Amino acid sequence: MRLLSLLTILMASPAFATAFDRPIPQAQSATAEFWFAIASLALMAALWLVHHLVMRK
């Protein structure tokens, strides 16, 4: 049992850890920007519709 706990401690040591590689952000494509614009317009239209429906009551 002691050997198992010693082995666990050794395996969890920082010596076996790899360095963290920071991710590199990718540029957005024109297609992604187009669909984001469409989604933004749809969200604004939905919010206006909700505002209009609430104000009528």
Side-chain angles (χ1 to χ4, degrees), residues 20-42:
F20 175 72
D21 291 329
R22 192 174 289 269
I24 300 171
Q26 301 293 323
Q28 288 201 12
S29 65
T31 306
E33 289 181 4
F34 169 76
W35 284 113
F36 182 79
I38 296 297
S40 298
L41 292 173

Side-chain angles (χ1 to χ4, degrees):
M1 193 65 174
R2 289 181 185 171
L3 180 62
L4 182 61
S5 63
L6 180 62
L7 184 61
T8 304
I9 291 171
L10 288 176
M11 292 299 286
S13 70
F16 292 106
T18 60
F20 175 72
D21 291 329
R22 192 174 289 269
I24 300 171
Q26 301 293 323
Q28 288 201 12
S29 65
T31 306
E33 289 181 4
F34 169 76
W35 284 113
F36 182 79
I38 296 297
S40 298
L41 292 173
L43 177 63
M44 287 190 291
L47 288 173
W48 178 83
L49 181 64
V50 168
H51 169 73
H52 183 70
L53 290 173
V54 168
M55 292 302 290
R56 282 182 48 189
K57 290 189 173 197

